[in-house]
C-alpha cells in the first residue's frame, strides 16, 4: 500500500477566504446599468489567499485554512493554490458547500461594484480551525506558536473566538480586514488586546467611529481603544507602526503609481516577512513601504 505523503511544514498560516475572483474589466467608463464589451477573467482570490500568494512570492511557505467545496471549482482552486506555493492539506473540503466566489466589475473609472459571496466560509464556521485544535498544527494544551495571517471574512463570532480562545494565545496573529464593509468585525482584537492589526485610514475610522487625518493619529486612537499593536497605512502618505511601547511613522518612497489594488496585501506580507527575518520595528516598516512602493509602481515586487 502506498502511504499518503506527509504534509509540508508551513512557516505561516493564512486563515480566511480562499475563493475564485471573477473580474469583468472594460477600458470604457462605466456606470450603473452599463452593458459594454470587455474581458472576464477568473483567478484565485480572497484576502487570505492574496496574502498567502504574496508571502509565497516573498519566499515563505504558507498553509491556507479555509473552506473549499468538493465541487469542480473547488478542485481547480486547490490545484491553483498548490501551483502558487500554498500548502493545501489543512483546508476544510466540504461535501455540501459550494466553493465561494467574488465578483467585481471594473471600468476605466475604477471599481464599479463588487459582491463577495463567502457564504460557505461562514457556514463552515469553526471547522476551518480544526487543525489548530486537534493536534495537527496545535491544540488547547499545546497552542500553535507561529505566525498567522487572518482575514476579516470570518463571522464575528468566530473572530471573537480566535481573539479569546487559549489555543490562539501563543500565535503571532496578524489581522487584516476583508473590506471596509467588514472592518468592524476586527473589533474583538481591540477589546481583547490580541494580535497586530493592519488597516488603512478608512478602516481605522470605521473601527474607531472617528475621522482621522493621518496614520499616526489613527494608530493612537486604535491603541487607546485597546489594540495591542497596529500598522496603519494611508496610500502615498505616511504609515505608522505602534504599540504600547511607542510608535514610528515613515513616509513611503515617492513613485509613479501604475496599480494600487493589492498594495495593502503587499505591505502586510512584506512586513511579516521583514519581521520573520529579524528586522527591528523601524527597519521592518521601511522594508514594507519599499516593497509596496515597488508593487504600486508596477515593477516585480521583490
Ligand atoms: N501612491 C503611492 N505611493 C507610494 N506607495 C504607495 C502608494 N499607494 C500605496 N502605497 C503603498 O502601499 C501601502 C498600502 O496602501 P494603502 O494604504 O492604499 O492600502 P490599502 O487601501 O489597504 O490598499 P488596497 O488598494 O490593496 O486595498 C502604503 O502604505 C504604501 O506603502
Ligand atoms: O468581502 C470581501 N471582499 C473582497 C475580498 C477579496 O479582496 C480582493 C479585492 O479587494 C479580492 O481578491 C476579493 O476576493 C474578500 O476576500 N472579501
Amino acid at each position: 500500500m502506498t502511504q499518503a505523503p506527509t504534509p509540508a511544514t508551513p512557516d505561516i498560516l493564512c486563515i480566511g477566504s480562499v475563493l475564485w475572483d471573477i473580474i469583468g474589466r472594460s477600458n470604457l467608463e462605466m456606470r450603473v446599468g452599463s452593458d459594454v464589451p470587455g474581458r472576464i477573467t477568473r483567478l484565485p482570490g480572497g484576502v487570505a489567499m492574496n496574502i498567502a500568494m504574496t508571502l509565497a512570492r516573498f519566499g515563505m511557505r504558507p498553509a491556507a485554512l479555509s473552506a473549499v467545496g468538493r465541487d469542480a471549482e473547488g478542485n481547480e482552486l486547490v490545484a491553483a493554490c498548490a501551483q502558487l506555493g500554498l500548502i493545501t492539506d489543512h483546508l476544510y473540503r466540504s461535501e455540501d458547500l459550494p466553493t465561494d466566489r467574488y465578483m467585481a466589475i471594473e471600468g476605466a473609472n475604477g471599481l464599479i461594484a463588487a459582491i463577495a459571496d463567502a457564504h460557505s466560509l461562514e457556514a463552515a464556521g469553526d471547522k476551518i480551525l480544526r487543525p489548530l485544535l486537534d493536534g495537527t498544527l496545535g491544540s488547547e494544551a499545546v497552542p500553535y506558536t507561529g505566525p498567522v495571517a487572518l482575514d476579516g471574512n470570518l463571522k464575528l463570532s468566530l473572530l471573537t473566538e480566535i481573539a479569546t480562545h487559549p489555543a490562539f494565545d501563543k500565535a503571532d496573529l496578524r489581522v487584516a480586514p476583508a473590506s471596509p464593509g467588514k472592518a468592524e468585525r476586527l473589533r474583538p482584537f481591540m477589546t481583547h488586546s490580541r494580535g497586530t492589526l493592519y488597516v488603512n485610514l478608512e478602516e481605522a475610522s470605521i473601527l474607531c467611529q472617528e475621522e482621522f487625518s493621518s496614520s499616526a493619529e489613527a494608530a493612537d486612537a486604535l491603541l487607546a481603544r485597546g489594540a495591542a499593536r497596529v500598522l496603519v497605512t494611508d496610500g502615498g502618505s505616511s504609515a505608522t507602526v505602534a504599540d504600547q511601547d511607542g510608535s514610528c511613522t515613515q513616509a513611503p518612497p515617492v513613485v509613479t503609481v501604475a496599480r494600487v489594488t493589492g498594495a495593502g496585501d503587499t505591505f502586510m506580507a512584506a512586513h511579516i516577512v521583514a519581521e520573520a527575518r529579524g528586522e527591528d520595528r523601524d527597519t521592518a516598516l521601511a522594508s514594507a513601504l519599499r516593497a509596496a512602493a515597488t508593487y504600486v509602481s508596477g515593477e516585480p515586487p521583490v
Side-chain angles (χ1 to χ4, degrees), residues 177 180 198-203 232-240 250-257 259-268 285 288-297:
Y198 289 79
V199 292
N200 63 24
L201 214 57
E202 180 189 4
E203 293 151 351
V232 184
T233 60
D234 183 16
S237 301
S238 291
T240 300
Q250 292 176 15
V254 177
V255 291
T256 307
V257 178
R259 52 177 172 174
V260 283
T261 307
D265 295 340
T266 304
F267 175 89
M268 177 176 175
L285 177 60
L289 287 171
R290 221 171 21 246
T294 305
Y295 175 86
V296 299
S297 68

Side-chain angles (χ1 to χ4, degrees), residues 214-240:
S214 71
S215 62
E217 192 192 343
D220 280 349
L222 287 160
L223 293 184
R225 284 166 198 267
R229 184 172 181 241
V230 295
L231 280 107
V232 184
T233 60
D234 183 16
S237 301
S238 291
T240 300

Side-chain angles (χ1 to χ4, degrees), residues 3-302:
Q3 275 194 327
T6 315
T9 307
D11 44 29
I12 183 163
L13 307 180
C14 296
I15 307 180
S17 267
V18 174
L19 45 68
W20 281 113
D21 275 357
I22 297 150
I23 315 288
R25 271 199 192 101
S26 172
N27 47 23
L28 299 170
E29 295 257 330
M30 293 183 73
R31 55 176 171 77
V32 175
S34 293
D35 182 340
V36 296
R39 294 276 184 198
I40 300 176
T41 54
R42 186 185 79 160
L43 64 163
V47 171
M49 175 68 197
N50 294 336
I51 295 166
M53 283 191 283
T54 311
L55 288 164
R57 279 210 319 273
F58 286 135
M60 288 188 90
R61 190 82 169 107
L65 267 65
S66 185
V68 177
R70 284 196 188 272
D71 45 10
E73 284 88 350
N75 294 340
E76 286 166 339
L77 182 58
V78 170
C81 291
Q83 194 71 41
L84 290 161
L86 270 70
I87 296 168
T88 58
D89 305 88
H90 307 297
L91 286 167
Y92 170 65
R93 301 295 310 274
S94 168
E95 291 292 349
D96 47 324
L97 296 170
T99 297
D100 284 330
R101 290 181 288 188
Y102 164 89
M103 191 171 80
I105 306 287
E106 296 175 11
N109 44 331
L111 177 71
I112 307 301
I115 294 177
D117 179 354
H119 284 91
S120 293
L121 179 74
E122 294 200 356
D126 62 4
K127 293 194 184 84
I128 68 163
L129 302 178
R130 270 184 198 155
L132 287 162
L133 296 163
D134 68 6
T136 309
L137 297 169
S139 65
E140 191 166 334
V142 187
Y144 174 80
T145 54
V148 173
L150 175 66
D151 86 27
N153 280 301
L154 305 189
K155 287 209 300 200
L156 182 63
S157 52
L158 195 55
L159 290 166
T160 306
E161 198 177 321
I162 296 172
T164 53
H165 198 287
F168 298 95
D169 75 354
K170 298 276 187 293
D172 175 8
L173 290 174
R174 311 291 177 114
V175 193
S179 65
K182 293 177 178 170
E184 288 188 15
R185 296 187 185 187
L186 302 196
R187 217 163 263 141
F189 296 93
M190 291 166 68
T191 31
H192 300 285
S193 296
R194 190 177 274 187
T196 301
L197 299 181
Y198 289 79
V199 292
N200 63 24
L201 214 57
E202 180 189 4
E203 293 151 351
S205 293
I206 294 168
L207 275 169
C208 297
Q209 293 174 303
E210 195 183 331
E211 288 296 312
F212 300 117
S213 56
S214 71
S215 62
E217 192 192 343
D220 280 349
L222 287 160
L223 293 184
R225 284 166 198 267
R229 184 172 181 241
V230 295
L231 280 107
V232 184
T233 60
D234 183 16
S237 301
S238 291
T240 300
V241 54
D243 63 15
Q244 303 300 338
D245 297 330
S247 73
C248 169
T249 296
Q250 292 176 15
V254 177
V255 291
T256 307
V257 178
R259 52 177 172 174
V260 283
T261 307
D265 295 340
T266 304
F267 175 89
M268 177 176 175
H271 186 258
I272 292 171
V273 169
E275 292 202 326
R277 275 199 297 266
E279 291 181 14
D280 65 19
R281 184 190 69 185
D282 298 10
T283 316
L285 177 60
S287 295
L289 287 171
R290 221 171 21 246
T294 305
Y295 175 86
V296 299
S297 68
E299 292 162 26
V302 250

